[in-house]
Each structure stands twice: as structure tokens, then as C-alpha cells.
Amino acid sequence: MKQLLDRDLDVSEIVIALKVPGGYGTDIHRDRASHGFAMFSEGLKKYYFDNKTVVVRKNEIVYMPKFSNYKVETIEEGTCHAINFDFPEDHIFEPFVFSPKNPTAFMESFKNAEKAWRTKTDGYVYKCKAELYSILFGMRSQRAAGYLPLSKLRIIAPAIDLIHEKYSSDHLTVSKLAQACDISPEYFRMLFRRNFGISPIKYINDLKLTRAKELLLSGMYSVATAAEMAGYSDISYFSREFRKNVGVPPSEYEG
């Protein structure tokens, strides 16, 4: 059976982009009407297709082919974001699960598509298609780059743990991260980029921005406080970076 990621296809239609809270959704699907991606921010599910069973975990993306029949078994409840779409011609592809090296970036695309579809602002269909193409491009790029062998991934594991523990409360440098792995900064950069597809600093900055957006959306914190809690010591720098990456100043961010 053909693989979706092996083809360069134009998206003809966005059927829907939505957020599905845990406990909602349909368990039994017959002759699925469109292609679909779903990314889970939490939970654990099994998808039983006619000829294949896949397991989807937190921060993973499942592809559900058009015309497919499947049953979903919920092992742990969890929220997901989904995009259903179609191509100009009917294609039959194999279902698969994709594990992003940088899940934050992929989840942002799903959330942006969901917001565009929900708010229906001018050009929202173009925005949804742009986010879907970004997801497809990210998948193709990651696949082309390849994964690190487990032995290599274990080398940088201490730095990955340190990043997620300290990104908002400590000034992490490549030298400090490399030291945690007992390797040179040059070798660390190479291993990290090969596995995640981006530099260590870009990965850290993505985490900081995501945290800042969460704090701003809560409505509980000022821009200055959200910036500080996310790990930014310079409010002017934070505002410039936020606008450059998100498209609006932090004071105007609405998710």
C-alpha cells in the first residue's frame, strides 16, 4: 500500500480542524469520509484498522486514511487536536503513527489551524491549509534527516532532561548542555540537530515561547511576569522575539 509521506499532493479541501477533549469522539469508524491527522497532548489510544493496529501516545500524531475502517480503544483519556482534509483525487494510503522530535512546533500548527477554523476570520481556509502543509513538511523533513540510533540518543539524554527541567529558570548554554553529556559542544550540536531537526537554542526558545503563551492565555499574569516566568530576563527582547515568532505583540496575544 502507498505511503502518504512518499507523495507530493495538493490539498483540495480542509474538512474541519478541531480540538477533541478526552471522553469525546467516536470509537467506531466505517468508510472514513476524509483523510485525517490527530495529535495527542496526553493520553494513550489503540487504533485497530482492518490490517494494522497502531498505538498513539502523548505528543504523537496518528494518520487515519480516507475510506478506512477502524475502532479506537482508549487506554488513557487525553485531549487531541485534529485536521481532516482531502485531495483532488481518491488515494488509499496506509495508517501510521508519527513521533515528532520537536512536538511543540507540530502542536502549534494543529492549534493554529483549529483557531483559524473556529474563528472563521478572513482567509481562514488558507491558514488551515498552510498549517497542514507545515505539518506535512515537518514530517518529510524529519524523515529525511533520520533518527539517531538509540546509543547516540542516550548520549544527549542528560541534556534533554536538563533542558525540560531548567529551560525557564536557568541560562542554558550549549557548553553547559554538552558538559552534562560529557562531550564536546560541536559533537553535541551535531547529535541534537540530527535528532530534533533544529538547534538546541531554537528548541529551548520554542519551549520558552510556548510557556509564555500559556501564561498569557491564563489571564493571570502581566506580560512582564509571564516573560520572567518563562525564562526571559529582558522584557524588550521577549517582546521582539514574541512578535517575530507569533506575529503579534504579547499584549495582544489571544491564542
Side-chain angles (χ1 to χ4, degrees):
M1 188 177 293
K2 293 180 290 186
Q3 301 289 336
L4 173 64
L5 296 183
D6 292 335
R7 303 289 299 274
D8 291 316
L9 298 169
D10 292 327
V11 175
S12 60
E13 180 185 7
I14 299 293
V15 177
I16 193 170
L18 73 163
K19 177 181 179 180
V20 184
Y24 290 81
T26 305
D27 293 336
I28 305 293
H29 298 258
R30 300 292 183 191
D31 194 22
R32 184 180 169 89
S34 61
H35 303 272
F37 284 127
M39 183 171 186
F40 288 83
S41 57
E42 55 193 355
L44 178 65
K45 291 181 181 283
K46 278 188 177 181
Y47 284 68
Y48 298 92
F49 294 90
D50 287 341
N51 299 309
K52 186 175 185 179
T53 299
V54 298
V55 179
V56 191
R57 299 174 174 81
K58 176 181 178 180
N59 290 332
E60 291 186 329
I61 300 169
V62 59
Y63 165 65
M64 301 151 290
K66 185 176 182 178
F67 306 123
S68 60
N69 304 308
Y70 58 97
K71 175 184 176 181
V72 183
E73 177 188 356
T74 300
I75 300 171
E76 296 177 11
E77 289 288 4
T79 297
C80 79
H81 282 75
I83 304 176
N84 294 345
F85 56 96
D86 221 333
F87 299 116
E89 299 177 0
D90 290 336
H91 296 277
I92 298 176
F93 297 116
E94 185 175 346
F96 64 85
V97 172
F98 180 81
S99 300
K101 296 176 181 178
N102 183 13
T104 301
F106 282 88
M107 182 56 80
E108 280 298 301
S109 288
F110 276 95
K111 289 181 177 180
N112 289 340
E114 184 276 330
K115 181 186 176 183
W117 188 269
R118 171 170 43 85
T119 57
K120 298 292 192 296
T121 53
D122 186 39
Y124 74 95
V125 174
Y126 289 115
K127 177 63 173 174
C128 289
K129 284 188 178 182
E131 296 297 346
L132 176 57
Y133 280 125
S134 180
I135 291 167
L136 289 166
F137 177 76
M139 288 178 168
R140 289 281 292 268
S141 297
Q142 179 173 310
R143 189 181 66 166
Y147 288 92
L148 280 179
L150 183 58
S151 59
K152 300 292 187 183
L153 184 57
R154 285 173 176 160
I155 293 175
I156 63 172
I160 296 171
D161 291 342
L162 185 61
I163 287 172
H164 285 271
E165 180 183 354
K166 300 286 190 180
Y167 75 88
S168 64
S169 60
D170 195 7
H171 181 58
L172 295 175
T173 63
V174 170
S175 295
K176 185 180 292 187
L177 293 169
Q179 186 177 11
C181 304
D182 198 25
I183 58 177
S184 70
E186 293 75 19
Y187 188 42
F188 172 74
R189 283 195 190 92
M190 185 272 287
L191 292 179
F192 194 96
R193 182 176 286 277
R194 184 175 173 188
N195 192 66
F196 290 98
I198 57 176
S199 71
I201 300 305
K202 177 67 166 61
Y203 187 90
I204 292 169
N205 287 339
D206 284 349
L207 289 173
K208 287 183 176 182
L209 281 171
T210 297
R211 178 59 175 157
K213 286 187 282 187
E214 292 171 349
L215 293 169
L216 290 171
L217 284 176
S218 73
M220 299 173 61
Y221 305 98
S222 67
V223 170
T225 301
E228 183 180 0
M229 292 176 66
Y232 292 91
S233 57
D234 186 332
I235 184 64
S236 297
Y237 173 77
F238 165 70
S239 296
R240 290 195 303 272
E241 286 296 298
F242 194 97
R243 182 160 194 161
K244 181 174 73 175
N245 287 276
V246 182
V248 297
S251 58
E252 298 177 13
Y253 180 66
E254 298 178 351

